[in-house]
Amino acid sequence: FGSKRGLFDAAADSYLDEVARPRLRVLTHKPIPPDAVGMYLRSLRDALLVNASAASEHGCLIVNTAGSLIGKDEAVRDRIVAYRTEIATAIENGLTHQPGFDSSRVKPTATAITSLVVAAMTLTRVDPTAAAQTLDIAVALTNG
């Protein structure tokens, strides 16, 4: 790896490719189901509620990094922002494929849902039930 930073980059790449992006696939790979956003959120919710799972015990590697000292590093900060953008873009994509969803609400709803996802991934380390409830609120935002 060459350095601690090289090790972090490899771990982050592995996490994104093996954990985060496969869950987002329902929102990014065609055909996109009409309830893709709900499917993504319920899948994440279920993962956070599994006792002693990596998701419920540790939350999200990238989100956790934002609150650590390495999160102040410019390249790491850029990676965190890029991941948040990746989630938001995927959710926007899912909402645009949801029949009857008001197109003027796609961007603000995706922003709100992304914020709730980040909050749930942070909260799960101390209260998985509250994290799941946060994602239930996110699902409700897709219904109107």
Side-chain angles (χ1 to χ4, degrees), residues 105-126:
R105 293 185 49 237
V106 167
K107 186 130 183 111
T109 302
T111 299
I113 290 172
T114 301
S115 297
L116 290 167
V117 166
V118 170
M121 287 191 224
T122 304
L123 188 56
T124 194
R125 296 179 76 184
V126 294

Side-chain angles (χ1 to χ4, degrees), residues 55-125:
S56 68
E57 294 286 319
H58 305 293
C60 171
L61 174 68
I62 307 301
V63 171
N64 291 342
T65 300
S68 69
L69 290 176
I70 195 173
K72 295 192 181 289
D73 177 275
E74 184 176 350
V76 173
R77 186 174 56 242
D78 290 346
R79 180 182 286 259
I80 295 164
V81 170
Y83 177 54
R84 188 219 161 271
T85 301
E86 185 174 351
I87 295 170
T89 300
I91 291 170
E92 282 183 39
N93 190 47
L95 291 173
T96 62
H97 286 83
Q98 187 169 313
F101 196 86
D102 181 349
S103 62
S104 70
R105 293 185 49 237
V106 167
K107 186 130 183 111
T109 302
T111 299
I113 290 172
T114 301
S115 297
L116 290 167
V117 166
V118 170
M121 287 191 224
T122 304
L123 188 56
T124 194
R125 296 179 76 184

Side-chain angles (χ1 to χ4, degrees), residues 35-47:
D35 185 31
V37 177
M39 292 169 66
Y40 163 73
L41 293 168
R42 286 187 293 273
S43 169
L44 181 58
R45 178 191 191 281
D46 291 347

